[in-house]
Amino acid sequence: MTQTLLHIDSSARGTGSTSRQLSDRIVTQLAPAQVIRRDLADPLPQITEPWIGANFTPAADRDAAQRDLLALSDTLVDELRAADTIVIGTPIYNFTIPASLKAWIDLVCRVGLTFEYTPEGPRGLLAGKRVILAVASGGTQVGSEIDFATGYLRHVLGFIGLDEVQIIAADRLVQDMDAALVAANAQIDALAA
């Protein structure tokens, strides 16, 4: 049973967003005990040179300004750590993910916190969590050669240890919206908590 669920939405659309509707249905279907909500329509900052400098300064050596620069990133990492299940609603914009979701990824992929380097290569530190992607696209078929969103998300999430990723897609909505929504909703109905 899902105890704590992190629910992330990245569509720029507040209303009328298919990915938001799908992610909401997934959360309802899973009925977690606690939901942590992160709406990326509220823009996150881009990483900057001072942020990178703070990130690569050992924690014990950071000054107050550097700690302030990393505070949001620390919160986002804490949200990931607290969650048993992560639901990410994302549209496909121009064949890939929205910039808001990329900003979130940049803020949570942190050496020593969500991954580490070993003699065998990088190792994710967030293993044992379930991820469900609620993906919507107007014309891009999920899994096709022009879908640069879902392959990237699987890769980067796996990089931080989140390798149990399930995709629920309502794709090619402009071709047959009704069929795409029926298929996605059937997958949601079949989800086990």
Side-chain angles (χ1 to χ4, degrees), residues 165-187:
V165 178
Q166 179 177 359
I167 297 172
I168 294 178
D171 57 356
R172 297 185 292 173
L173 289 163
V174 296
Q175 293 174 333
D176 192 343
M177 180 181 288
D178 292 338
L181 292 175
V182 165
N185 284 314
Q187 291 176 41

Side-chain angles (χ1 to χ4, degrees), residues 25-159:
R25 280 211 63 231
I26 292 167
V27 172
T28 299
Q29 177 72 14
L30 297 178
Q34 178 183 4
V35 177
I36 301 166
R37 187 77 170 96
R38 179 62 62 179
D39 191 338
L40 302 180
D42 236 352
L44 295 174
Q46 301 291 313
I47 60 172
T48 61
E49 185 173 358
W51 186 96
I52 291 169
N55 186 45
F56 286 104
T57 299
D61 298 337
R62 290 179 189 142
D63 61 28
Q66 290 174 318
R67 288 190 298 276
D68 286 348
L69 279 173
L70 296 175
L72 175 59
S73 174
D74 291 339
T75 297
L76 298 175
V77 170
D78 288 344
E79 290 172 354
L80 276 171
R81 286 178 172 160
D84 304 299
T85 300
I86 299 134
V87 174
I88 301 174
T90 185
I92 295 178
Y93 289 163
N94 302 312
F95 312 106
T96 191
I97 62 172
S100 61
L101 185 52
K102 177 61 168 74
W104 178 83
I105 289 166
D106 288 342
L107 291 170
V108 300
C109 289
R110 289 185 52 200
V111 68
L113 295 181
T114 57
F115 72 96
E116 66 183 354
Y117 291 111
T118 72
E120 294 78 38
R123 183 177 73 87
L125 299 175
L126 299 176
K129 300 174 186 292
R130 177 185 189 189
V131 179
I132 303 170
L133 302 177
V135 181
S137 78
T140 300
Q141 180 179 359
V142 168
S144 71
E145 66 182 15
I146 62 170
D147 168 15
F148 299 101
T150 60
Y152 170 71
L153 286 171
R154 278 187 190 275
H155 178 81
V156 75
L157 293 169
F159 179 75

